Amino acid sequence: MKALVRQADGRFLAVRHSYADTRRWALPGGGYKPTRETPTEAAARELREELSIALPAAAFTVLDTTVTTLEGKHDTLTILTAVAPSDAFTLSPEIAEARWLTDLDELGDAPLSRWLVRALG
């Protein structure tokens, strides 16, 4: 699950995780167990855990769902979107950096997650 979080003025949140490819800008999010929570519940939990952004699950809508093959296994990836009530956030140890952006060009030639690009497309 990935979350495209926006501000009312159109800015969106991009993050660099502190694990795996630490240079790549991506969407916040992570894995979840469908038997334990819905994608919207997972999005609310991940944003709270990673960035201290408190949004109810009902604030999220599904933007895209796709089946991926990562590390030799089939997964369903859901991209959700929501508008955050403020631009405040606090980084957890999982996040190396986070920025509110108006355009991906603000990141220069930094590598981008395909899910970030897809969510904005």
Side-chain angles (χ1 to χ4, degrees):
M1 177 286 312
K2 300 292 180 189
L4 175 61
V5 182
R6 294 184 178 274
Q7 289 291 302
D9 64 8
R11 290 177 296 151
F12 60 91
L13 188 61
V15 301
R16 284 188 315 105
H17 288 92
S18 59
Y19 55 86
D21 187 351
T22 59
R23 292 185 45 231
R24 183 178 312 274
W25 286 93
L27 295 169
Y32 72 99
K33 301 256 188 238
T35 57
R36 294 188 190 155
E37 62 187 346
T38 65
T40 58
E41 291 167 337
R45 177 183 50 76
E46 286 287 338
L47 284 172
R48 190 173 51 257
E49 290 174 359
E50 292 183 352
L51 296 154
S52 297
I53 295 174
L55 287 170
F60 293 90
T61 58
V62 175
L63 189 62
D64 192 11
T65 300
T66 188
V67 176
T68 68
T69 304
L70 297 173
E71 299 172 4
K73 63 179 183 171
H74 291 287
D75 279 324
T76 299
L77 176 76
T78 303
I79 301 174
L80 300 117
T81 188
V83 176
S86 81
D87 60 3
F89 57 79
T90 302
L91 302 181
S92 77
E94 288 183 62
I95 305 295
E97 185 178 359
R99 291 187 200 169
W100 289 104
L101 304 168
T102 56
D103 191 284
L104 287 176
D105 291 340
E106 295 173 47
L107 298 173
D109 62 355
L112 304 173
S113 156
R114 67 178 166 164
W115 308 122
L116 173 59
V117 173
R118 185 172 179 155
L120 293 170

